[in-house]
Every structure is written in structure tokens, then in C-alpha cells.
Amino acid sequence: MASHNPNSSWLILAWVVALAATLGALFIGEIMGQMPCVLCWYQRIAMFPLALVLGIAAMRGDEGIWIYALPVAGVGLAIATYHSLLYSGILPAPIQPCQANGPSCSGDGMLVLGIPIPFLSMASFAAIALLLLPLARKPA
């Protein structure tokens, strides 16, 4: 690992959040047997690579990863926010991503510690984005 500086802590924390979210999604899907809905799949597409690239960047001390990871986290955050607004009924659903006859994240089985999965996803992407922002600033 590269020498420690304050920015590397932000990078390590961002990786820990991405890793926890990825392991949580895998646990829910593979261990609990809950199939993700369409919007959950898109969020996984954004989160899973973040766990990998942020982990490699943290090990190498590569703070320049923000330029690649921040847009991916932003796309994931946008999808998760849209999903959360649909889930909470704030936005009317022109399409039903969580259907009764297919995978659904709206049932009681899709709560983690009483929190709906779309909200957890949104919080994870927001945390990763916020943790990467200090890396984007130029050193004084």
C-alpha cells in the first residue's frame, strides 16, 4: 500500500462502502434467494465494478480513480434515487419495475434492518460519491 495521506482514508472508506453494498446484494440474491427487480439489476451493474476498482485503487494508493469512479457512482445514485422515489410513491410509475408476477423489492422480505433496499442503495452510492469528492480537489 502507498504511503498514508488523508485522501487515502477517503478512498479506503469509499471501497468499504462499495464492498459492503456488493456483499449485501450478493447475500440477498444468493443466500436469501431474492431475485432483484430490473432497477436493482441496473444498480448492481454500477456497484459491483466500484467494489473492484476502488479496492485496487485503495491498495495501490491511486487517488486518480475518482475520475472514473465518481461518474459510475453518480449514475448508480441517479438510478437508486429514481427507484427510491418510485418505491415511496412520490413518482408515479409509468412502468412497473417491481411487478407482482416477477421479482419485487417492495415486499417485507426486501427490508434490511427495516430499511427498503432502494433506500440503502441510494445511501451507498451517495456515500461513495461524497467520499470520492475530496480526491477530486487539487492539493493546496
Side-chain angles (χ1 to χ4, degrees), residues 46-118:
M47 185 61 73
F48 289 9
L50 285 174
L52 181 64
V53 298
L54 290 174
I56 293 168
M59 288 177 59
R60 295 182 52 134
D62 181 5
E63 296 169 11
I65 191 65
W66 73 268
I67 201 161
Y68 306 107
L70 193 56
V72 175
V75 168
L77 179 59
I79 296 167
T81 300
Y82 175 71
H83 194 186
S84 295
L85 293 172
L86 284 175
Y87 177 89
S88 61
I90 294 172
L91 289 179
I95 59 167
Q96 292 292 3
C98 300
Q99 299 172 350
N101 60 352
S104 175
C105 56
S106 60
D108 288 338
M110 297 311 283
L111 300 175
V112 176
L113 302 172
I115 303 170
I117 291 173

Side-chain angles (χ1 to χ4, degrees), residues 3-40:
S3 62
H4 181 73
N5 68 52
N7 282 342
S8 65
S9 296
W10 298 118
L11 180 56
I12 291 167
L13 286 172
W15 170 64
V16 168
V17 171
L19 182 63
T22 297
L23 292 175
L26 289 172
F27 177 82
I28 290 166
E30 301 302 319
I31 306 300
M32 293 177 56
Q34 300 287 345
M35 186 135 172
C37 73
V38 173
L39 290 175
C40 289

